[in-house]
Amino acid sequence: MRGMTDRHDAGPLASGDCCSWCHREMVRPELETRGEALGLSNQLSRRDPANQKAWLGTIVCYRDTGAYDKADAALATLFEKQPASRRGRTLKAELDLRRGRFAEVRAAMEALLEEPAEDPDLVGLRARVLLAAALEARGRRGEARTVLDPF
């Protein structure tokens, strides 16, 4: 993996905070870079299994490359450590949406939106968008608009 050692020996990976770099790198189209980001997230999550950002980075990499089963396995591990992870739950809903599991998305996102949240609630906004997408996919455009009305 090109540049990984140079970039991380004394930098973010050594300090346990490579995820912002990983997330920036994941949006680039080169598969080698995604592989590098996945490798870094995996390495960090093995080093610190309680690091939610590392697990989320791994899940996003798997999702972006279409490895949904691997993303599900990483989510299961995240939920073992942090069962109430709101971001993890929206990633699970996104994977379900991509697989056409609209009822699961709707139930999970409605439950998430019932919980109290900090302001601004970006995870809640993501949950609303996922819920609206699931409703739209089932032909419930009016309900989808209602979900997004506050915005």
Side-chain angles (χ1 to χ4, degrees):
M1 289 188 223
R2 175 187 78 219
M4 185 171 124
T5 313
D6 299 339
R7 199 172 289 142
H8 290 286
D9 273 348
L13 186 59
S15 68
D17 188 31
C18 81
C19 288
S20 61
W21 179 86
C22 293
H23 287 288
R24 277 196 317 274
E25 292 300 305
M26 283 185 287
V27 298
R28 291 177 44 191
E30 301 90 10
L31 290 178
E32 181 179 350
T33 305
R34 282 193 189 137
E36 189 173 347
L38 177 59
L40 291 170
S41 290
N42 279 334
Q43 189 176 355
L44 185 57
S45 59
R46 280 191 302 271
R47 189 178 289 177
D48 180 10
N51 186 330
Q52 177 175 304
K53 287 184 181 179
W55 284 108
L56 293 173
T58 298
I59 294 160
V60 168
C61 284
Y62 284 140
R63 179 204 63 198
D64 289 351
T65 57
Y68 300 152
D69 291 336
K70 289 182 179 181
D72 283 337
L75 274 166
T77 303
L78 171 67
F79 291 142
E80 286 174 12
K81 311 276 185 230
Q82 299 180 12
S85 171
R86 289 171 56 85
R87 180 68 174 110
R89 289 163 48 205
T90 60
L91 282 171
K92 173 70 172 136
E94 191 174 329
L95 290 169
D96 287 342
L97 184 64
R98 290 179 181 208
R99 289 175 165 152
R101 299 175 182 159
F102 306 121
E104 289 90 338
V105 174
R106 182 177 182 178
M109 294 303 91
E110 285 176 345
L112 190 140
L113 288 169
E114 292 293 320
E115 298 172 1
E118 297 176 16
D119 197 40
D121 183 21
L122 298 179
V123 173
L125 175 60
R126 182 180 197 93
R128 285 185 181 281
V129 169
L130 289 167
L131 176 57
L135 290 167
E136 174 74 23
R138 303 210 68 192
R140 296 180 168 181
R141 182 168 285 178
E143 286 179 72
R145 285 186 182 143
T146 304
V147 168
L148 296 175
D149 273 347
F151 303 100

